[in-house]
Amino acid sequence: MELTEPLDSQRVSPQAPTQADIDEFRRLGAEQAAGVAIVSTVLRGRDYAATVTAYLSVSYDPPTLLVSLYEGSRIAQAVVESGQWALTLLPTEQKRAANWLASPGTPTEGLLNQIEFKRGPATGCAVIAGSLAYFEVATTAVHVAATHLLVVGEVVGMGSEAGPSPEASPLLHYAGDYRRLKP
């Protein structure tokens, strides 16, 4: 049954969105819960890592993932140049790590000194300890999309640090804050 009440709507100009358009888009987009992960890579012996919520499974055959990274960020440039990366899915206990790696101005030296991690066996990229799951990925394509790079890659290694547990709760981002799935 079609409702007759009009939708609350704001028209957006694709040629030149205003700051109000951008702010409203971000506000409305925050109404979707997203899993929190860490993307990491190693470039010239230095670790790079950042918190992300914009990632997805592209295909199961072959296993393929996509991550969206701000084009001007250190992590985007390092991931593109290195050609390999790891995606670590975080449990709620890793909120501190997520906050640290989402903070602007994190140091380039010693970035992971305060976070427990292991090296992925296939890529050598950092995998955060206690992860729900991790995927090591070899980049197959990079697409420019507005202010971001969509980095696509085939999974070359995967596993879990936490192991299956009915008590495990993924760290989620919803309405501008971190949340947990289970109380």
Side-chain angles (χ1 to χ4, degrees):
M1 173 172 71
E2 184 176 346
L3 299 175
T4 58
E5 256 181 58
L7 286 171
D8 180 21
S9 179
Q10 176 177 329
R11 180 76 70 187
V12 177
S13 168
Q15 289 79 16
T18 66
Q19 187 60 50
D21 293 335
I22 293 167
D23 292 345
E24 183 67 354
F25 179 81
R26 292 180 81 176
R27 185 187 73 75
L28 292 172
E31 294 302 318
Q32 175 179 321
V36 179
I38 302 295
V39 64
S40 65
T41 193
V42 177
L43 181 62
R44 291 188 275 287
R46 178 179 286 160
D47 286 305
Y48 293 82
T51 304
V52 296
T53 56
Y55 61 89
L56 63 97
S57 171
V58 174
S59 173
Y60 296 112
D61 188 14
T64 305
L65 292 173
L66 175 149
V67 65
S68 176
L69 303 170
Y70 177 64
E71 185 176 17
S73 67
R74 293 183 299 207
I75 188 67
Q77 298 309 311
V79 163
V80 168
E81 192 172 333
S82 73
Q84 60 185 12
W85 41 285
L87 186 74
T88 304
L89 307 184
L90 299 181
T92 55
E93 295 78 22
Q94 291 292 358
K95 181 179 174 180
R96 187 177 148 274
N99 276 331
W100 170 248
L101 293 172
S103 300
T106 54
T108 53
E109 291 297 327
L111 177 66
L112 298 176
N113 285 354
Q114 59 182 296
I115 297 173
E116 290 183 31
F117 69 94
K118 296 180 180 179
R119 297 278 172 200
T123 63
C125 296
V127 172
I128 307 306
S131 65
L132 296 174
Y134 70 88
F135 304 91
E136 295 181 88
V137 183
T139 301
T140 57
V142 178
H143 305 280
V144 176
T147 59
H148 282 64
L149 299 178
L150 304 179
V151 183
V152 181
E154 286 188 24
V155 175
V156 296
M158 60 186 154
S160 174
E161 281 288 290
S165 166
E167 286 78 41
S169 181
L171 183 59
L172 300 175
H173 191 264
Y174 175 73
D177 203 0
Y178 293 119
R179 313 284 182 179
R180 63 182 299 128
L181 186 61
K182 298 177 182 182

